[in-house]
Amino acid sequence: MASPAIEKLSLEDIPPPPAGTIFVDDFTGVDVISAGASTTSPVKSTAFAVYTFPNAPAYYLRRLVDSPFEPISASALKKAKKGAEGLAKKAKAAEELKVKKDADEAKRLEEASKIVVKPDLSLPEAKHIKIRAGAAHRETRVVVHGWVHRLRLQKGLAFLVLRDGTGFLQCVLSGDLANAYSTITLTLESTVAIYGIIHPLPEGKSAPGNHELVADYYKLVGLAPGGDDAISNRVQENADPSMLLDLRHLVLRGETLTGIFKVRAALLRSFRRVYEELGILEVTPPCMVQTQVEGGSTLFAFKYYGEDAYLTQSSQLYLETCLPALGDVFCIQESFRAERSHTRRHLSEYTHVEAELAFLTFDDLLSHIENFITKTVQYVLEDEEIAAIVKKLNPNFVAPQLPFRRMTYESALEWLNEHGVPNEDGETFKFGDDIAEAAERKMTDEINQPILLTRFPVEIKSFYMQKCADDPRVTESVDVLMPNVGEIVGGSMRIYDLDELMKGYKRENMDAAPYYWFNDQRVYGTCPHGGYGLGTERILAWLCDRFTVRDCSLYPRFTGRCKP
């Protein structure tokens, strides 16, 4: 049977609504108390309208999407009043339930406040340990300090996952410990000292370290806020990135960043281990300088006791001066680039690993770099804890194998042109063009293996780079490119002839005088030498599969960001 058609009324047939009329629209309305004030913010149901606004002079209803509001019919109003009665009953029941719950909670808190938690003095003295040492202290009474990372309360039991920076430990509280006021009001990120015995877990159960601490006593050290100020409300995974950077000091407590910075520490240890094995000595050049290395446009300038000075872009020039005195050297310290770049692989401050090596050829340098990278990654992954973190963050990570693919700059241009990748002007690549990040990434990702990209043109490289003997248009230079991140290392052989170096200054319109100390290396016993710089954050982004290097810096600094 066909449904009866709804007759549309014309505007002339509808009486004007009196002041205070409540408007109902089943199509666009929302059943909230703030609605109903006008035709532009109606409520959704007539029952809600009558329940919420019982003394309204009139109720107007829109019966069709494109029809005007019209007075509700007597039968519809009667039905709405019945519905309103039902809503009133539900509201009353909900209020009674809330009152009961509040009373029960008040009683529970009152009873909990009467519980006095005391240590059992008959138990052996607890040994203070870090969580990482838990497995070595099973079945022994210990005390562990840390932050409440996770918390689950149930009747007569409380399960805490404690974090102390060295690991995570599940702790179980029962009886009075679980029912005490301090436990049932405990919050995430509160600090506690928990006493008890660590037991291995039975088959089929899981927890960090495959064991748990059964507590016999605990002390609250510092209670973190709950409610609106709880850390779970202040720090949310999908929040605005800028806000998360403002709250970096709290975001750092999350498992992802915690893992990244443990991998970072292992990476730095591995760098030093490889250099130690190679007999390369660590030095610490200055960060405040009066000369440039990578171009004046990216210098951070400041006044140094009235003189012009800069934050270092690179320690390379100082490392070169160490070669005659100390042999091959390296440093690991901060470098600074005033690049107004918002790309995902640029920072204004980053941890720069740099090395300079004497009496070697360009081929020796390339072999050293690829061996250094592969050996470093090998040592990082030898640590089972770190390898597990890398596996969790980057399940598809494959350690690089020797040898890396070698590709010249000109071969790269051919590859890009053959694959229809344009230069920054949208044109075919030609000799002398810089290969921008997007093109470089596309090529590296498609080839999908580490690349030693060599022999860049003189005009797009720094003043100190040695020209190739077989083609003076290009330099003995190299960029190491990795899939998913792009360039991670830049290096070259250095000019060791003084006259050639002077030509380099002239080509770049640089005054050679401030570099007198650098120039002297070519006067007092010159030698063929080369070196490279590696961005720690870029290597880390590659290892941990991070979209941006900002995730790999403790407190990242980039254009517009210098806090906290």
Side-chain angles (χ1 to χ4, degrees):
M1 180 179 177
S3 58
I6 297 176
E7 179 187 353
K8 286 189 180 181
L9 296 177
S10 66
L11 290 174
E12 292 78 6
D13 298 328
I14 300 174
T21 292
I22 301 302
F23 296 91
V24 182
D25 186 339
D26 189 47
F27 303 99
T28 63
V30 182
D31 281 345
V32 293
I33 294 176
S34 59
S38 69
T39 56
T40 57
S41 60
V43 296
K44 184 174 181 65
S45 67
T46 52
F48 182 83
V50 173
Y51 167 69
T52 309
F53 308 99
N55 300 316
Y59 303 94
Y60 270 50
L61 172 67
R62 173 179 279 154
R63 296 190 293 169
L64 295 172
V65 175
D66 57 350
S67 67
F69 287 95
E70 58 187 83
I72 191 172
S73 67
S75 61
L77 181 59
K78 183 178 180 180
K79 184 178 178 181
K81 287 180 178 179
K82 278 196 173 184
E85 289 172 5
L87 290 175
K89 288 178 182 178
K90 286 183 181 179
K92 183 180 179 183
E95 180 60 27
E96 289 173 350
L97 181 62
K98 182 180 181 302
V99 170
K100 184 178 184 304
K101 282 185 175 180
D102 289 347
D104 290 346
E105 180 65 11
K107 183 178 179 182
R108 187 170 77 103
L109 291 174
E110 183 182 357
E111 291 174 353
S113 65
K114 296 175 183 177
I115 298 173
V116 179
V117 177
K118 293 182 179 179
D120 185 343
L121 299 180
S122 68
L123 294 173
E125 184 177 352
K127 182 177 181 180
H128 178 210
I129 67 166
K130 294 289 187 180
I131 289 175
R132 66 169 174 254
H137 291 84
R138 288 177 177 175
E139 308 303 340
T140 303
R141 189 166 186 260
V142 298
V143 55
V144 181
H145 295 78
W147 288 259
V148 178
H149 188 69
R150 293 195 186 93
L151 175 64
R152 178 164 56 92
L153 302 176
Q154 58 189 63
K155 193 171 184 179
L157 286 173
F159 295 90
L160 287 72
V161 173
L162 204 62
R163 181 190 77 243
D164 73 349
T166 72
F168 299 90
L169 177 64
Q170 179 168 287
C171 305
V172 183
L173 281 60
S174 60
D176 282 352
L177 281 181
N179 296 324
Y181 183 87
S182 59
T183 304
I184 63 178
T185 58
L186 197 60
T187 51
L188 294 178
E189 293 305 319
S190 295
T191 43
V192 292
I194 302 184
Y195 297 71
I197 296 177
I198 297 176
H199 299 290
L201 286 175
E203 193 74 30
K205 292 191 175 182
S206 64
N210 292 314
H211 52 218
E212 65 183 11
L213 185 151
V214 177
D216 57 62
Y217 175 64
Y218 87 93
K219 291 190 293 187
L220 178 65
V221 178
L223 183 66
D228 292 342
D229 290 327
I231 192 166
S232 54
N233 287 327
R234 292 196 69 193
V235 177
Q236 297 183 8
E237 187 176 355
N238 296 319
D240 177 78
S242 181
M243 188 195 78
L244 292 177
L245 285 170
D246 287 342
L247 297 175
R248 185 75 165 184
H249 57 294
L250 298 179
V251 177
L252 286 174
R253 303 181 183 202
E255 291 181 36
T256 297
L257 284 186
T258 296
I260 289 170
F261 289 108
K262 286 187 175 182
V263 176
R264 180 184 171 111
L267 180 63
L268 292 173
R269 286 196 302 271
S270 299
F271 286 149
R272 288 188 165 95
R273 179 179 171 186
V274 176
Y275 282 133
E276 180 76 18
E277 291 175 354
L278 293 172
I280 301 176
L281 190 71
E282 183 170 8
V283 294
T284 50
C287 287
M288 296 184 290
V289 301
Q290 291 187 307
T291 50
Q292 68 183 53
V293 182
E294 300 296 339
S297 63
T298 63
L299 286 168
F300 280 108
F302 65 97
K303 285 295 182 181
Y304 183 76
Y305 302 109
E307 296 183 30
D308 290 335
Y310 315 100
L311 295 177
T312 186
Q313 299 167 313
S314 165
S315 297
Q316 174 205 319
L317 307 190
Y318 292 96
L319 293 180
E320 288 189 46
T321 69
C322 296
L323 294 177
L326 301 171
D328 298 344
V329 289
F330 79 96
C331 69
I332 300 178
Q333 61 185 52
E334 301 305 285
S335 284
F336 305 85
R337 303 282 173 91
E339 292 181 280
R340 295 191 176 275
S341 174
H342 287 279
T343 73
R344 56 180 174 159
R345 67 176 193 173
H346 283 96
L347 291 167
S348 295
E349 177 185 0
Y350 64 99
T351 303
H352 207 173
V353 180
E354 298 182 89
E356 287 295 319
L357 315 170
F359 296 105
L360 80 169
T361 66
F362 186 42
D363 282 339
D364 293 336
L365 179 65
L366 297 181
S367 295
H368 166 88
I369 291 173
E370 63 183 356
N371 277 283
F372 174 70
I373 293 171
T374 52
K375 202 71 174 175
T376 296
V377 173
Q378 176 191 326
Y379 289 159
V380 168
L381 298 179
E382 280 181 0
D383 185 317
E384 291 184 1
E385 179 192 358
I386 300 304
I389 295 172
V390 172
K391 182 71 174 175
K392 183 178 180 181
L393 294 172
N394 190 1
N396 299 318
F397 180 76
V398 177
Q401 301 297 313
L402 295 175
F404 289 2
R405 177 169 176 164
R406 279 149 167 82
M407 176 184 276
T408 66
Y409 165 84
E410 288 187 88
S411 295
L413 297 191
E414 290 174 8
W415 189 98
L416 292 166
N417 290 334
E418 287 171 2
H419 289 78
V421 181
N423 65 15
E424 287 190 292
D425 297 323
E427 300 171 351
T428 300
F429 275 96
K430 58 185 181 300
F431 186 87
D433 286 346
D434 192 12
I435 302 175
E437 178 187 358
E440 178 184 272
R441 284 287 303 275
K442 182 173 180 60
M443 180 181 73
T444 309
D445 291 351
E446 287 201 21
I447 292 174
N448 197 32
Q449 65 183 101
I451 299 171
L452 293 169
L453 188 60
T454 62
R455 295 167 64 98
F456 289 88
V458 171
E459 57 263 30
I460 64 173
K461 284 299 182 179
S462 296
F463 71 95
Y464 52 77
M465 293 192 179
Q466 180 72 39
K467 293 178 182 178
C468 292
D470 61 340
D471 185 352
R473 300 178 307 149
V474 296
T475 54
E476 292 186 322
S477 52
V478 59
D479 284 353
V480 181
L481 310 179
M482 286 293 180
N484 299 320
V485 68
E487 180 196 343
I488 59 169
V489 177
S492 76
M493 296 299 290
R494 318 308 193 188
I495 293 174
Y496 62 99
D497 177 81
L498 182 61
D499 291 338
E500 280 296 313
L501 183 61
M502 291 301 162
K503 291 176 183 176
Y505 290 129
K506 185 176 181 180
R507 185 183 70 244
E508 300 297 328
N509 296 314
M510 295 170 60
D511 181 3
Y515 295 85
Y516 70 93
W517 51 275
F518 179 67
N519 302 334
D520 275 351
Q521 306 311 306
R522 282 81 183 159
V523 176
Y524 293 90
T526 191
C527 74
H529 62 285
Y532 56 92
L534 178 154
T536 301
E537 290 79 8
R538 288 189 184 180
I539 282 264
L540 198 56
W542 168 58
L543 274 171
C544 298
D545 192 26
R546 296 298 93 189
F547 178 76
T548 171
V549 293
R550 296 175 188 179
D551 288 345
C552 303
S553 175
L554 193 66
Y555 286 92
R557 298 296 185 244
F558 53 91
T559 306
R561 170 63 57 178
C562 197
K563 68 175 184 180

